[in-house]
Amino acid sequence: MNIVDDYEIIPVIICGGSGTRLWPMSRLAYPKQFLKCNPLSNKTFLQDTQLRLKKFKNICNPIIICNVEHRFIVAEQMREIDINPSAIILEPEGKNTAPAITIAALKSQEISNDPILLILPADHSVEDEEKFKISIEKGIPHANQNEIVSFGIAPNKAETGFGYIEAEKELDFKKNNGSKIKKFIEKPNLEKAQKLILNKKYSWNSGIYLVKSNTILNEMKKYEPSIYSLCKKSLDENLYDLSFQRLKENYFSKCKSISLDNAIMENTNLGYVLPLNAKWSDIGSWNSLWEISKKDSSGNVAQNNTLIENAKNCFIKSDNRLIVALDVEDLVIVDTYDAVLITKRNSSQNVRGIVSNLISADLKEAKCHKKVFRPWGNYISVAEGLNWQVKKINVNPGESLSLQKHNHRAEHWIVVSGIATVEIAQEKKKLNKNESTFIPKGQKHRLSNEGGELLTIIEVQSGSYLGEDDIIRFKDNYGREGI
């Protein structure tokens, strides 16, 4: 590399968001960043976040920070796009972005000597990837001068769901000319937001940062020394689980839950903001998803099993039943296998509050889908009663469930498609389409797909208790023995 190119960029992809404003499609167990719901792409948000970096110079494989419950989803989605991450670091609990970024910065120094970190939320949409690349590359000289570069979005409405950045000078979004940052502003009320968007010094905070590893760590030591110390101790021992790196929970759990903006950007004098004019959206609500989607002549977005008559400016999506919309305007109607959302489009920012209420009421629909993803595939709960349950189970080619037993239920398996390899006690056999087997309560068993096509079975469970925690694992390909 010559002098101009004498740098390395390590992407840091933050995957910890819960995406609750896109409930019921996005839920805690499988949030927005892992969904294929961007109308501009056939990939997930996480995959697009990585793929838009493919033309960057001197780019390394990413460090990904995610919740421990999502580790197999992250690994599988990176495998699908042929990316081998530099690290997948598992948070035992969410502590917001300041601890996560500190962990990533510390980890990056094991990979390279003071690299530039490109910090990216995993759930954004960027339509113009070339302009995105130009903006990021314009920030590299500033990062090399030990500034913390943030990227501002030109406001096109009085948005109350974003934070704002006040620059010392007016931003030029055509020439990508930036400015030192004067201050960060938390999500304002509507009246304040209406005033801010009239001033060209203000931009939306995209949550994207470019900064050298030492710079962010030095600022963390300065303003949040306890977070720095606890994160360092969390990484002191290399706690590996397959290809994942776990943190020491007894230290990480003591970290303050705080955003990078609150911890550093509101205090530092190193902040610099560059315009990002790349058709960016955080798709943080159903209304923002409607905005970037292709519409019919009446402004409607209709997906899947829907019928619309005399409707205007609606977003209607069904994953299950037929939705018929008649004589309605400005609505969001979303139907999944187990929940329906109906709201005014402009009220969709408030869905987060509804999800909080669902969580407080301990309703499972707040967190989990009927379709549940596992490292070997997925299952859908088709029907259930007091002491019985029916599931449709899909096992990917070459994958296996754990060798396990249940203390409270028996199971009956029927092969719908593919060829199943079944182990029950000491016996191993093949089951073809329309063949079945029975697994008594308390018997060790295992289901595998040794073929080259998807295996689909129907599982009928019966017993006194049908919870997912009634599993004792003896052998597992994914490091879950005893879990």
Side-chain angles (χ1 to χ4, degrees):
M1 292 187 287
N2 59 35
I3 296 298
V4 175
D5 291 337
D6 189 17
Y7 62 87
E8 282 186 307
I9 299 176
I10 297 182
V12 174
I13 303 179
I14 308 296
C15 275
S18 56
T20 51
R21 287 177 293 173
L22 285 180
W23 184 89
M25 181 174 63
S26 172
R27 305 192 195 182
L28 295 176
Y30 207 84
K32 176 181 71 171
Q33 57 267 31
F34 305 124
L35 298 175
K36 294 181 180 179
C37 63
N38 185 346
L40 307 175
S41 171
N42 62 357
K43 303 293 185 184
T44 69
F45 287 107
L46 169 61
Q47 290 171 330
D48 279 336
T49 300
Q50 173 62 38
L51 288 172
R52 72 175 62 106
L53 308 177
K54 60 183 180 290
K55 294 182 181 178
F56 279 58
K57 293 179 180 178
N58 310 327
I59 199 85
C60 300
N61 283 342
I63 295 172
I64 302 178
I65 312 289
C66 70
N67 186 282
V68 65
E69 298 297 328
H70 299 148
R71 62 195 186 280
F72 296 117
I73 304 171
V74 169
E76 174 62 16
Q77 293 197 357
M78 289 295 99
R79 186 197 63 78
E80 288 175 354
I81 60 172
D82 297 320
I83 294 295
N84 183 23
S86 296
I88 300 177
I89 300 176
L90 310 180
E91 291 182 308
E93 60 181 295
K95 288 291 185 178
N96 217 316
T97 53
I101 290 167
T102 305
I103 289 286
L106 289 165
K107 183 65 181 179
S108 73
Q109 299 198 332
E110 299 177 17
I111 300 166
S112 182
N113 180 29
D114 196 20
I116 294 175
L117 306 180
L118 175 55
I119 299 164
L120 300 161
D123 56 356
H124 291 177
S125 171
V126 174
E127 188 173 346
D128 194 328
E129 294 187 355
E130 184 58 31
K131 285 187 177 179
F132 175 80
K133 179 174 177 286
I134 289 169
S135 291
I136 300 300
E137 289 180 342
K138 191 157 186 177
I140 289 170
H142 294 281
N144 277 329
Q145 293 167 13
N146 296 317
E147 292 180 298
I148 305 174
V149 184
S150 62
F151 294 87
I153 310 299
N156 57 19
K157 60 181 177 180
E159 176 63 66
T160 60
F162 299 151
Y164 287 68
I165 301 171
E166 181 183 358
E168 291 183 356
K169 302 176 183 177
E170 290 189 355
L171 300 180
D172 188 333
F173 279 84
K174 291 184 178 179
K175 296 181 179 179
N176 272 20
N177 289 335
S179 166
K180 291 283 289 183
I181 292 173
K182 184 174 181 180
K183 67 178 177 180
F184 275 69
I185 299 169
E186 280 296 303
K187 298 172 184 177
N189 59 33
L190 181 60
E191 183 181 358
K192 186 171 184 178
Q194 288 170 336
K195 293 177 181 177
L196 296 181
I197 64 173
L198 301 176
N199 190 328
K200 292 184 179 180
K201 291 182 179 180
Y202 291 93
S203 59
W204 289 339
N205 179 12
S206 69
I208 300 170
Y209 295 94
L210 196 71
V211 60
K212 295 200 83 173
S213 177
N214 276 337
T215 302
I216 199 68
L217 289 175
N218 288 336
E219 293 300 277
M220 195 63 68
K221 288 181 205 176
K222 182 177 178 180
Y223 294 109
E224 291 290 346
S226 66
I227 289 179
Y228 174 84
S229 175
L230 289 166
C231 286
K232 200 167 189 310
K233 291 174 181 176
S234 298
L235 276 170
D236 270 351
E237 297 176 12
N238 289 326
L239 302 176
Y240 284 97
D241 174 358
L242 301 177
S243 58
F244 309 108
Q245 184 167 359
R246 292 180 180 268
L247 301 175
K248 294 174 75 173
E249 186 172 358
N250 58 325
Y251 290 114
F252 190 76
S253 63
K254 296 175 183 175
C255 283
K256 183 191 301 184
S257 181
I258 187 172
S259 69
L260 184 71
D261 295 346
N262 293 146
I264 301 298
M265 301 308 296
E266 292 178 358
N267 299 301
T268 185
N269 59 3
L270 301 180
Y272 191 90
V273 58
L274 278 171
L276 180 61
N277 186 21
K279 297 182 180 178
W280 168 95
S281 172
D282 81 331
I283 311 190
S285 67
W286 288 108
N287 188 50
S288 59
L289 189 56
W290 173 83
E291 287 176 341
I292 69 167
S293 298
K294 186 176 180 180
K295 305 169 187 66
D296 65 17
S297 58
S298 298
N300 298 303
V301 177
Q303 298 178 356
N304 304 334
N305 197 15
T306 59
L307 178 64
I308 295 177
E309 188 170 326
N310 194 31
K312 294 181 181 178
N313 301 323
C314 292
F315 184 99
I316 304 172
K317 175 182 171 65
S318 174
D319 289 336
N320 190 18
R321 293 157 293 199
L322 172 66
I323 296 177
V324 179
L326 174 65
D327 295 338
V328 294
E329 294 185 19
D330 300 315
L331 290 183
V332 170
I333 306 173
V334 180
D335 178 38
T336 66
Y337 285 97
D338 60 346
V340 180
L341 171 71
I342 303 172
T343 180
K344 291 182 179 178
R345 235 182 353 94
N346 290 329
S347 299
S348 61
Q349 286 281 4
N350 300 329
V351 172
R352 173 182 285 171
I354 293 296
V355 175
S356 295
N357 293 340
L358 294 174
I359 292 172
S360 297
D362 199 28
L363 294 174
K364 62 183 180 181
E365 289 84 358
K367 300 179 180 180
C368 300
H369 291 271
K370 285 281 187 181
K371 186 174 186 179
V372 177
F373 291 84
R374 291 289 186 257
W376 42 260
N378 62 74
Y379 68 82
I380 298 172
S381 182
V382 177
E384 58 188 292
L386 182 62
N387 57 2
W388 60 271
Q389 183 170 210
V390 179
K391 290 181 177 179
K392 176 185 172 186
I393 297 177
N394 294 312
V395 185
N396 295 327
E399 304 295 341
S400 296
L401 282 68
S402 56
L403 178 64
Q404 59 185 248
K405 75 172 184 178
H406 311 292
N407 288 329
H408 303 285
R409 71 175 186 251
E411 295 174 341
H412 188 182
W413 293 344
I414 306 120
V415 177
V416 175
S417 63
I419 300 173
T421 300
V422 177
E423 298 174 56
I424 303 175
Q426 304 302 317
E427 182 184 359
K428 186 173 182 178
K429 60 183 177 181
K430 299 282 188 182
L431 293 180
N432 295 299
K433 183 177 178 180
N434 295 328
E435 294 182 336
S436 65
T437 192
F438 177 74
I439 302 100
K441 180 175 65 175
Q443 190 71 266
K444 285 186 182 180
H445 61 280
R446 187 170 202 165
L447 174 66
S448 302
N449 181 3
E450 297 177 350
E453 63 178 277
L454 184 70
L455 167 66
T456 300
I457 73 164
I458 298 298
E459 177 181 85
V460 181
Q461 302 176 354
S462 60
S464 60
Y465 177 71
L466 305 175
E468 284 302 305
D469 54 350
D470 180 24
I471 299 177
I472 299 172
R473 293 186 173 94
F474 300 95
K475 293 182 182 178
D476 185 71
N477 295 343
Y478 316 103
R480 302 174 299 166
E481 291 90 344
I483 300 175

